[in-house]
Amino acid sequence: MSDLLPIVGEFSHGFDTEDERMRIHVALAQVQPNEAAHGNVYDVLPRMKQLLCSASELGADVVVFPEYFLTGSSHEAWRQSHTHDPLDSFSDVPVWLEDIRCMAREFGTAIVTGSAVLRHANKRASPLYNTTYFLDARGDIKGAYTKRNLWHAERAVLTPATDVSHPKDEYPPVFMFETRRGLRVRASMLMCWDLMFPESFRRLFVPPGCDQQLSELDKPNEWTGPDIVFAPTCWYADDSGTEAQVWNKDCEAACLDAICVARAMENECFDHRIPRPVDWVGQV
């Protein structure tokens, strides 16, 4: 195990085979976005592979990478995205995603890729979107999510997804995957500032009495939706500014702790987010 990858926490294992099968082991890769890559995902992939190797050795079912891990979090990095695999349409996926799919197959681990800023169409004036993907342990693309609620610093450069640009029928909010022990799980993805809005979660669920079933695990006359929501974030401890830090130096952590608990209880689901860009693999 590399000394560059300190491990915090440990997986909780079941008392017997069935109890263990019903658990999902999630590793959180808390890594700083690589601003030096200037939006080039290929410069980041060796680091991703190193982290996946460590998490796989620990028995992780899913490894979650943070927001902006793939292309960096600076405005300049986002603007450079037009030089790296621009997408011709919303239905296409970036070329570099195939490399990450190969990693998922190699390590037998599902991956929340962390986000990349993507330009749809090879034109500098085309909108930039912040998008993350979910790959299962076979390397299949099970889900994709584009951020809908932008933090104020993002709004000058990025475009939020809407029901018009990213309709539900083309971008299903709920997908299914299977762990290495055969547990099938319904999952969704959000991103960072989306957590602040209860409606971000509400759109993931369908109330009883509706004909729509989001997955084969859903039952008639019951609420349907995800069992777990993955929410990659790039959230810094000083985002609130110096004045807020004077009042409470831990205000950002307190905010995240509060909203994650609130959203999980409101929607009766698990919520995984990565708040701080520090190098370690945490286990849940």
Side-chain angles (χ1 to χ4, degrees), residues 17 76 103 211:
T17 302
E76 182 56 32
M103 293 183 204
D211 294 333

Side-chain angles (χ1 to χ4, degrees), residues 137-237:
R138 300 179 183 87
D140 295 332
I141 303 171
K142 290 296 186 178
Y145 175 74
T146 297
K147 192 173 185 178
R148 287 173 170 254
N149 298 283
L150 301 182
W151 174 243
H152 67 85
E154 299 169 316
R155 296 168 193 166
V157 180
L158 303 183
T159 298
T162 66
D163 288 338
V164 174
S165 66
H166 294 73
K168 274 189 174 183
D169 57 341
E170 295 182 25
Y171 298 86
V174 179
F175 54 89
M176 286 183 55
F177 71 99
E178 188 172 302
T179 69
R180 61 179 69 194
R181 290 172 303 284
L183 177 66
R184 292 190 299 166
V185 181
R186 295 165 293 194
S188 294
M189 293 186 292
L190 295 173
M191 216 180 302
C192 200
W193 198 237
D194 288 321
L195 292 169
M196 296 298 291
F197 301 89
E199 55 267 32
S200 296
F201 282 79
R202 292 190 191 115
R203 68 181 296 272
L204 306 177
F205 294 86
V206 175
C210 294
D211 294 333
Q212 182 182 5
Q213 282 188 275
L214 300 180
S215 78
E216 60 188 77
L217 296 182
D218 297 329
K219 298 178 181 179
N221 301 317
E222 292 185 2
W223 279 90
T224 61
D227 303 302
I228 184 169
V229 177
F230 298 102
T233 74
C234 181
W235 199 309
Y236 293 90

Side-chain angles (χ1 to χ4, degrees), residues 6-153:
I7 306 300
V8 177
E10 60 183 21
F11 291 134
S12 174
H13 294 283
F15 296 105
D16 53 40
T17 302
E18 180 59 18
D19 189 19
E20 178 68 10
R21 189 187 72 83
M22 294 299 294
R23 296 172 184 248
I24 176 171
H25 300 317
V26 180
L28 309 179
Q30 295 194 272
V31 284
Q32 188 87 15
N34 183 4
E35 307 303 341
H38 301 295
N40 188 352
V41 173
Y42 292 104
D43 287 352
V44 182
L45 295 185
R47 179 63 167 157
M48 173 179 269
K49 188 170 185 177
Q50 183 186 30
L51 290 162
L52 285 169
C53 180
S54 296
S56 177
E57 290 175 355
L58 295 169
D61 295 303
V62 184
V63 182
V64 186
F65 289 89
E67 183 184 30
Y68 296 127
F69 172 67
L70 294 172
T71 50
S73 61
S74 70
H75 286 196
E76 182 56 32
W78 302 343
R79 293 188 177 101
Q80 290 295 319
S81 67
H82 74 283
T83 64
H84 307 297
D85 298 329
L87 305 185
D88 294 328
S89 71
F90 288 109
S91 60
D92 292 335
V93 296
V95 175
W96 45 257
L97 194 61
E98 182 58 35
D99 292 58
I100 305 178
R101 295 179 67 188
C102 290
M103 293 183 204
R105 289 190 287 266
E106 178 181 352
F107 297 111
T109 304
I111 303 171
V112 179
T113 62
S115 74
V117 172
L118 304 176
R119 186 183 297 279
H120 291 273
N122 192 7
K123 297 178 181 178
R124 194 169 182 83
S126 300
L128 292 170
Y129 294 100
N130 187 11
T131 300
T132 188
Y133 297 91
F134 186 98
L135 312 177
D136 70 8
R138 300 179 183 87
D140 295 332
I141 303 171
K142 290 296 186 178
Y145 175 74
T146 297
K147 192 173 185 178
R148 287 173 170 254
N149 298 283
L150 301 182
W151 174 243
H152 67 85

